[in-house]
Amino acid sequence: MAQDKLIGIDLGGTTTKFALLTQTGKIVDKWSIKTQTEDHGSQILPNMIASIQAKLEEWKLTSQDILGIGMGSPGSVDRKAGTVVGAYNLNWQEVQAVKATMEEELGLDFYLDNDANVAALGEQWQGAGDQDPNLVFMTLGTGVGGGIILDNQLVHGAHDTAGEIGHLTVSNDRFDFPCTCGKSGCLESIASASGIVKVAQQMLAENKGQSQLYQVADRGDLEAKVIFDLAKQGDDLALLIVDIVCDYLAFAAGNIANIVNPSVIVIGGGVSQAGAILKETVEKHLADYLFPPLRDKTRVKIAQLESDAGVIGAGSLVLKEKLA
Amino acid sequence: MAQDKLIGIDLGGTTTKFALLTQTGKIVDKWSIKTQTEDHGSQILPNMIASIQAKLEEWKLTSQDILGIGMGSPGSVDRKAGTVVGAYNLNWQEVQAVKATMEEELGLDFYLDNDANVAALGEQWQGAGDQDPNLVFMTLGTGVGGGIILDNQLVHGAHDTAGEIGHLTVSNDRFDFPCTCGKSGCLESIASASGIVKVAQQMLAENKGQSQLYQVADRGDLEAKVIFDLAKQGDDLALLIVDIVCDYLAFAAGNIANIVNPSVIVIGGGVSQAGAILKETVEKHLADYLFPPLRDKTRVKIAQLESDAGVIGAGSLVLKEKLA
C-alpha cells in the first residue's frame, strides 16, 4: 500500500481546492481553503502546506503513503523551474518557487502546470474525455482557456503557451472587440461570460423587438446565464446571440481540430453549464469549419467534472510526470 | 561502420526522389526516377526497389551498411499499418502495403509518413529550422500542407491528419472561395499557387488601373510567380494581392502559433521561392493575430532545402522511429 495516494491542488484567486485521490482517480476526500491574497500572496504556500499537513494527520497518512502532489495554477507556469509568475489574481507579481518550497516543507514530489491544462487532464481521466488520448479542452468562464492532450501527453509548445485558445483570432467583423491581451477579435472577447454579454449588448443596440432581454438589460441583469436561459425558453434574440457565440466557438474548435486532430473536444467552465443548447449549437456550425474527413470523427462534449476537474487533473499530473 | 547510412525517399506523382544520407544528415548521393503511375501505380514499388538495389550495388553497400529507409508519401498514410491509400496522383486507389513489401524485398527497416510531415522533418534537421524542437512547416505549392513538430516529435493527432493546415478556415468574406475539400474559405484556396491566381482574378475584376497584371492576364499568363515578380518591381495591384494573400497566411500562422506555440514557422513549397517579400509581408501582419506574449518569440523563415527537404526528412524519419 506504499505511496498509493495522490494529492491534487487547484489554486484559484478566491479558493484553493484540494483532493486526496486514489491512483485510479477516485476522490477519497476533498476540501478547500480561502486563498489569502494579501501581502503579495505570501501566505498562499504556507496555508497550503498547513492544510495538507492537517489532512494527512486526520487520515493518519505520512509521506510514505503519498506518490506525490500535483497542482494547477493561474499565471505563467515554468514547469521545469517549478515556478509561477504573473498570477495577478493571487497577487503573485514576483517569481514564486512553488515546487521547491512545497517539496522541502512536505517531503513529497510536487508537479505543477497551468490551471487549464490540469483541468484538461481531469476531464480526460475521469470526465467527459473518457480517457481518449487525443483531446482538446476549452474552458469558458471569466476568461477562455484550454488544454491540448495528444497521444496522452499535454502539449506545451516552445514557451508553455500552447493551448492559449482564448486568444485565437476569430473575428474581423462587428464583433471584433478589443481584448485584454492587447489584440482584438479574440475568442475570449466573444465567448467568455463577459464576451457573451458584449455580443448581447451589440445585438440589443442593433435590433428592435419583443425580446425579454431588453427588460433584463434595463434591470442591469444581463449575464451569460440569463441569455442561455432565455434562449432555452425560445426568446428569438437570445437564440440569435447563442447562435452567434456558438458559431465563433465552432470556428475556433474546427480550426483547432484541423491543426491538431483530436477525437474529442470537451467544453467546460461556467458557461458550459448551459449544457445541451451550447453543445448542439456548436455542433451545428462545426461542419462548416472542419476538414471534411474529420466531420464524423470529431466529437463535441460538455465537461462532466465541474469544479472537480482541477483537483482530479492535478492528481493525474503526478502519474503523468512521475511515471513518464 | 555498420548500419551508419540512411536512405530517404520522396514519392511524388511525377518523380520519385532518393538520397543516401549519413546519420548527420549529409547527402552522400541523390538520384531520382520517373514515377510510373500506369496500371494503378503497380510498378511504383517494384521500381523503387530496383532503383535502391542498383544504387546499393553501385556503392558496394549491403543491408548491413544501412540503418533503414524512410519515405514521405502523398495520400493517406497509416503509419502503424505501414500502408498508403487514396494517393490519387499515384493512381493508388487501393490500400498499398508499402512497408511490408519494401521490408520483405530489401531486408531493411522501413518507415513512412505523409510528404508534408517528412518535409517538415527535413527543414527542421538540415534546413531553416536549425534543429529547433518546436517548429511548424507550411508548404505552399499546388496545394497547401503542413507538418507540426513539438518537443522534437511530429504531431499526428487521433487520425493522422494533424497539420492539415491547407484546410484551416481563414476567410468568410469576398475571398471565401469553394475548396476542393468540399468546404470553403480554406487557406489552400487562397494561398496555393492557384489560389493566389484566384485572388488576383478577383482583384483584377474589382479594380481599374495601370497594373501590368492586366496585360499578363490578357495573355493568359497569370501565375503566382508573375504576381510576386511584379510586386517586387513595385506594381501596386500586385503588391496589394501579395498583401492580401500574406494577411491570410499570417492569420493562419498566428492562430497555429496560438494553438501549438512553435518557436519557428518555416514556409516552403514552390510559392516560397518568392523569398523575402513573402516572409516580410507575412511578418508584417503576424502581430495582428499572435497572442502578444508570443510576438517576439515566434520567428518566420523561408525554407532552405527546396526539393531536398523530402529525402532528407525521410532519412531523419528512420532516426526518429528507430532510435525513439
Side-chain angles (χ1 to χ4, degrees):
Chain A
M1 291 293 281
Q3 293 198 326
D4 70 336
K5 297 282 188 302
L6 312 167
I7 292 174
I9 308 176
D10 179 7
L11 175 56
T14 309
T15 307
T16 306
K17 301 192 191 87
F18 301 83
L20 180 67
L21 299 152
T22 67
Q23 288 196 33
T24 55
K26 303 304 162 207
I27 292 179
V28 177
D29 193 2
K30 62 179 179 176
W31 70 102
S32 64
I33 60 175
K34 185 176 173 306
T35 305
Q36 258 187 281
T37 57
E38 300 83 356
D39 189 25
H40 303 289
S42 62
Q43 292 312 300
I44 293 175
L45 294 183
N47 288 349
M48 288 200 299
I49 291 161
S51 183
I52 289 171
Q53 283 170 332
K55 185 59 67 170
L56 291 179
E57 202 162 312
E58 180 189 328
W59 280 88
K60 305 207 185 314
L61 295 169
T62 72
S63 60
Q64 299 304 309
D65 302 301
I66 309 290
L67 187 66
I69 304 177
M71 184 174 94
S73 174
S76 183
V77 172
D78 184 329
R79 292 177 305 124
K80 277 165 203 132
T83 58
V84 177
V85 70
Y88 299 107
N89 56 347
L90 304 176
N91 278 325
W92 276 358
Q93 285 95 341
E94 307 271 304
V95 174
Q96 305 289 319
V98 178
K99 179 183 169 81
T101 305
M102 296 294 283
E103 290 191 339
E104 191 176 313
E105 296 293 328
L106 291 166
L108 286 166
D109 288 341
F110 185 92
Y111 306 93
L112 78 168
D113 208 320
N114 85 51
D115 43 13
N117 281 348
V118 163
L121 286 179
E123 285 292 338
Q124 185 216 20
W125 193 27
Q126 297 295 321
D130 216 7
Q131 306 193 4
D132 194 296
N134 298 288
L135 170 147
V136 167
F137 178 66
M138 305 173 81
T139 172
L140 317 178
T142 312
V144 170
I148 300 170
I149 298 169
L150 296 177
D151 212 6
N152 262 323
Q153 298 299 318
L154 276 169
V155 171
H156 289 99
H159 317 98
D160 280 351
T161 74
E164 275 291 355
I165 63 170
H167 304 286
L168 282 177
T169 310
V170 298
S171 176
N172 60 357
D173 58 15
R174 65 199 167 123
F175 303 109
D176 187 358
F177 305 127
C179 181
T180 51
C181 80
K183 67 183 190 77
S184 68
C186 293
L187 182 64
E188 177 164 302
S189 66
I190 290 175
S192 63
S194 61
I196 295 167
V197 170
K198 271 189 279 183
V199 172
Q201 285 165 336
Q202 177 116 347
M203 293 298 290
L204 284 166
E206 288 176 11
N207 287 268
K208 286 191 170 57
Q210 296 303 313
S211 171
Q212 287 186 57
L213 283 172
Y214 288 96
Q215 289 83 59
V216 171
D218 286 345
R219 287 198 306 268
D221 289 341
L222 204 55
E223 284 182 12
K225 183 176 185 315
V226 180
I227 297 162
F228 277 103
D229 286 346
L230 285 176
K232 289 178 196 171
Q233 292 166 28
D235 183 290
D236 282 343
L237 188 58
L239 278 166
L240 187 55
I241 294 163
V242 167
D243 195 71
I244 289 167
V245 169
C246 289
D247 193 10
Y248 284 110
L249 273 169
F251 177 89
N255 274 349
I256 295 168
N258 293 336
I259 293 169
V260 295
N261 179 211
S263 21
V264 57
I265 296 169
V266 176
I267 304 178
V271 172
S272 74
Q273 288 169 16
I277 190 173
L278 176 70
K279 170 179 145 65
E280 287 161 15
T281 319
V282 169
E283 279 176 332
K284 183 184 84 173
H285 290 289
L286 191 61
D288 293 341
Y289 306 116
L290 265 183
F291 184 43
L294 296 178
R295 281 184 190 157
D296 58 351
K297 292 177 177 164
T298 311
R299 287 166 299 138
V300 175
K301 299 184 82 173
I302 297 292
Q304 292 172 351
L305 300 180
E306 298 188 4
S307 60
D308 288 342
V311 288
I312 293 175
S316 96
L317 191 61
V318 177
L319 296 177
K320 291 267 178 220
E321 296 281 343
K322 192 144 183 172
L323 310 179
Chain B
M1 291 291 282
Q3 294 199 324
D4 70 336
K5 297 283 188 300
L6 312 168
I7 292 174
I9 308 175
D10 179 10
L11 175 57
T14 310
T15 307
T16 307
K17 302 192 192 84
F18 301 84
L20 181 66
L21 300 151
T22 67
Q23 287 195 32
T24 55
K26 302 304 162 205
I27 292 179
V28 176
D29 193 1
K30 62 179 180 176
W31 70 101
S32 65
I33 61 175
K34 185 178 173 307
T35 306
Q36 260 188 278
T37 57
E38 301 84 353
D39 190 25
H40 302 290
S42 63
Q43 292 311 300
I44 293 174
L45 293 183
N47 289 350
M48 288 201 298
I49 291 161
S51 183
I52 289 170
Q53 284 170 332
K55 184 59 67 173
L56 291 180
E57 201 160 312
E58 180 190 327
W59 280 87
K60 305 209 183 312
L61 295 170
T62 70
S63 60
Q64 298 305 307
D65 302 300
I66 308 290
L67 187 66
I69 303 177
M71 184 173 95
S73 175
S76 182
V77 172
D78 183 329
R79 293 176 305 124
K80 279 168 201 129
T83 59
V84 177
V85 70
Y88 298 107
N89 56 347
L90 305 176
N91 279 324
W92 277 358
Q93 287 93 342
E94 307 271 303
V95 175
Q96 306 288 318
V98 178
K99 179 184 170 79
T101 305
M102 297 294 284
E103 289 191 340
E104 190 176 315
E105 296 293 327
L106 290 167
L108 286 166
D109 288 339
F110 185 92
Y111 306 92
L112 78 168
D113 208 319
N114 85 51
D115 42 13
N117 281 349
V118 163
L121 286 180
E123 286 291 339
Q124 186 217 18
W125 194 27
Q126 296 296 318
D130 216 7
Q131 306 193 4
D132 194 295
N134 297 288
L135 171 147
V136 167
F137 178 66
M138 305 174 80
T139 173
L140 316 178
T142 312
V144 170
I148 300 169
I149 299 170
L150 295 177
D151 213 5
N152 263 321
Q153 298 299 319
L154 276 169
V155 171
H156 290 99
H159 317 98
D160 279 351
T161 74
E164 276 290 356
I165 63 170
H167 304 286
L168 282 177
T169 309
V170 297
S171 177
N172 60 356
D173 56 16
R174 63 199 168 126
F175 303 109
D176 186 0
F177 305 127
C179 181
T180 51
C181 79
K183 68 184 188 74
S184 68
C186 293
L187 181 64
E188 177 163 300
S189 67
I190 289 175
S192 64
S194 61
I196 295 168
V197 170
K198 270 190 279 183
V199 172
Q201 285 166 336
Q202 176 114 348
M203 294 298 290
L204 284 165
E206 288 177 11
N207 286 266
K208 286 189 172 58
Q210 297 301 313
S211 172
Q212 287 187 57
L213 283 172
Y214 289 96
Q215 289 84 60
V216 171
D218 286 345
R219 289 198 307 269
D221 289 340
L222 203 55
E223 285 181 11
K225 184 178 185 316
V226 181
I227 296 163
F228 277 102
D229 287 347
L230 285 175
K232 288 176 196 173
Q233 293 166 28
D235 183 291
D236 282 344
L237 188 57
L239 279 167
L240 188 54
I241 294 162
V242 167
D243 196 71
I244 290 167
V245 169
C246 290
D247 193 10
Y248 284 110
L249 273 169
F251 178 89
N255 273 349
I256 294 167
N258 293 337
I259 293 169
V260 295
N261 180 212
S263 28
V264 58
I265 296 169
V266 177
I267 304 178
V271 172
S272 75
Q273 288 167 18
I277 190 173
L278 176 69
K279 170 178 145 64
E280 287 161 14
T281 318
V282 169
E283 280 175 332
K284 183 185 84 174
H285 291 288
L286 192 60
D288 292 342
Y289 306 116
L290 266 182
F291 183 43
L294 296 177
R295 281 183 190 158
D296 58 351
K297 292 178 177 164
T298 310
R299 288 165 299 139
V300 175
K301 298 184 83 172
I302 297 293
Q304 293 173 350
L305 301 179
E306 297 187 4
S307 60
D308 288 342
V311 289
I312 293 174
S316 97
L317 192 61
V318 177
L319 296 178
K320 290 266 177 220
E321 296 279 346
K322 194 144 181 172
L323 309 180

